């Protein structure tokens, strides 16, 4: 059996590749639990500063592999479905809570849970053949699943989110770009370069500053108001200003050189 995900490390950057191209990277148990283990482990791996998420083959992820989640016979139908549901949802939660920014690179189709993997990432790039849909409603379920009702309205606005969730229709690369879902549409052979440019800029930031910036973005999207958002920002800035890396960043700026961060 092939590994459901491939992990390539390049110093502080790791690339995670969904590796079920023969099934359009549809989510079976092995893939989901491998993603769980990986993103859970990132919480304690501060040597990894940025994660790139991509997929092998012609599609990013076709969603749930419906035939692969077998009931062992020891579960009731509801219990089995609940285990499946929570296993996939946990991946999305771990992606949002891990301190590393996640850059997703998508080609072809991103359906259902594949869409949610992109929604749970921080920055997205796609190819011209990209298309996405909230496929859940197409299989007799509700259109709100795996974080779609939370992320989509915040990311693309309520009208497009409602269109996607209530119909399951595909949205293609041009609308994904126009709505702000992706940062850019690039040819498939330029996906790595698009990610590399963002990664390089992130690596110029102080490690703790990058981690806390993702944390503040996550928290302030749900802040009860402007004052609460400012309170989080103020506390982070005061704390970060006292780190050795902040002093190094200022010196490097004045010396016109690349900072040498020590995460201190």
């Amino acid at each position: 059996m092939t590994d459901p995900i491939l992990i390539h490390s390049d110093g502080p950057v790791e690339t995670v590749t969904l590796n079920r191209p023969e099934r359009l990277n549809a989510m079976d148990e092995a893939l989901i639990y491998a993603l769980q283990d990986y993103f859970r482990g990132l919480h304690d791996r501060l040597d990894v500063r940025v994660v790139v998420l991509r997929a092998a083959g012609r599609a990013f992820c076709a969603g749930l592999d419906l035939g692969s989640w077998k009931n062992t016979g020891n579960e009731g139908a509801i219990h089995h479905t609940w285990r499946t549901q929570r296993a996939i949802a946990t991946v999305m939660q771990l992606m949002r809570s891990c301190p590393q920014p996640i850059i997703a690179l998508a080609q072809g189709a991103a359906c259902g849970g594949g869409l949610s993997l992109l929604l749970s990432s921080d920055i997205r790039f796609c190819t011209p053949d990209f298309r996405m849909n909230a496929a859940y409603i197409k299989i007799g379920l509700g259109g709100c699943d795996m974080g779609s009702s939370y992320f989509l309205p915040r990311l693309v606005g309520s009208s497009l989110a409602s269109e996607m969730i209530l119909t399951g229709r595909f949205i293609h690369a041009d609308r994904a770009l126009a709505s702000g879902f992706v940062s850019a549409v690039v040819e498939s052979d330029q996906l790595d370069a698009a990610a590399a440019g963002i990664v390089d800029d992130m690596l110029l930031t102080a490690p703790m500053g990058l981690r806390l910036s993702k944390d503040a973005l996550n928290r302030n999207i749900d802040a009860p108001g402007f004052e609460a958002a400012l309170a989080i920002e103020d506390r982070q800035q005061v704390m970060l200003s006292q780190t050795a890396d902040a002093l190094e960043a200022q010196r490097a700026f004045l010396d016109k050189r690349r900072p040498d961060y020590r995460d201190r």
Side-chain angles (χ1 to χ4, degrees):
M1 293 180 63
T2 59
D3 294 331
I5 63 173
L6 302 176
I7 301 169
H8 173 73
S9 298
D10 184 12
V13 182
E14 283 195 343
T15 300
V16 183
T17 303
L18 308 181
N19 191 38
R20 301 189 73 217
E22 74 287 352
R23 297 289 295 169
L24 302 182
N25 298 305
M27 295 173 166
D28 67 349
E29 288 194 65
L31 176 63
I32 286 303
Y33 286 112
L35 288 173
Q36 269 197 31
D37 290 345
Y38 177 74
F39 285 110
R40 183 178 287 112
L42 282 178
H43 290 69
D44 298 319
R45 297 181 59 209
L46 300 187
D47 57 308
V48 179
R49 297 196 56 203
V50 183
V51 172
V52 178
L53 176 64
R54 59 177 310 143
R58 61 188 178 89
F60 180 74
C61 176
L64 183 65
D65 191 338
L66 291 170
S68 71
W69 294 78
K70 302 298 185 183
N71 191 326
T72 62
N74 298 320
E75 301 173 300
I78 290 178
H79 295 77
H80 170 68
T81 305
W82 177 255
R83 179 174 65 84
T84 302
Q85 184 79 16
R86 286 307 311 156
I88 302 172
T90 296
V91 172
M92 314 308 166
Q93 291 175 304
L94 292 169
M95 290 175 68
R96 294 315 309 145
S97 61
C98 75
Q100 297 84 356
I102 302 168
I103 303 171
L105 308 178
Q107 77 282 3
C111 307
L115 169 65
S116 292
L117 287 175
L118 296 178
L119 289 170
S120 301
S121 301
D122 296 286
I123 296 172
R124 291 155 291 275
F125 294 94
C126 75
T127 56
D129 67 343
F130 174 73
R131 60 193 187 280
M132 61 179 177
N133 76 332
Y136 333 96
I137 203 167
K138 292 287 194 180
I139 57 172
L141 304 176
C144 300
D145 195 18
M146 301 301 164
S148 64
S149 61
Y150 180 85
F151 288 118
L152 265 176
R154 288 166 168 79
L155 187 58
V156 303
S158 61
S159 182
L160 180 54
S162 295
E163 178 184 338
M164 292 179 65
I165 286 171
L166 299 178
T167 68
R169 65 168 51 179
F170 275 103
I171 302 300
H172 293 78
D174 55 348
R175 289 190 74 187
L177 179 61
S179 67
F181 182 85
V182 295
S183 294
V185 179
V186 300
E187 296 297 332
S188 58
D189 60 356
Q190 294 299 310
L191 275 177
D192 289 336
I198 295 288
V199 168
D200 287 346
D201 285 343
M202 287 181 175
L203 294 183
L204 287 173
T205 68
M208 192 174 189
L210 186 63
R211 295 195 297 268
L212 291 187
S213 294
K214 175 173 176 174
D215 180 77
L217 280 168
N218 280 340
R219 295 179 187 279
N220 284 345
I221 198 170
D222 290 325
F226 180 53
E227 298 299 328
L230 284 177
I232 289 176
E233 293 175 354
D234 290 347
R235 283 161 176 75
Q236 287 194 358
Q237 296 296 61
V238 170
M239 180 172 62
L240 289 167
S241 72
Q242 302 305 305
T243 63
D245 279 346
L247 181 59
E248 166 61 12
Q250 295 164 28
R251 289 171 173 165
F253 176 79
L254 294 174
D255 295 343
K256 296 181 173 56
R257 60 174 173 82
R258 190 180 184 95
D260 180 19
Y261 293 125
R262 305 297 176 87
D263 203 4
R264 295 178 182 174

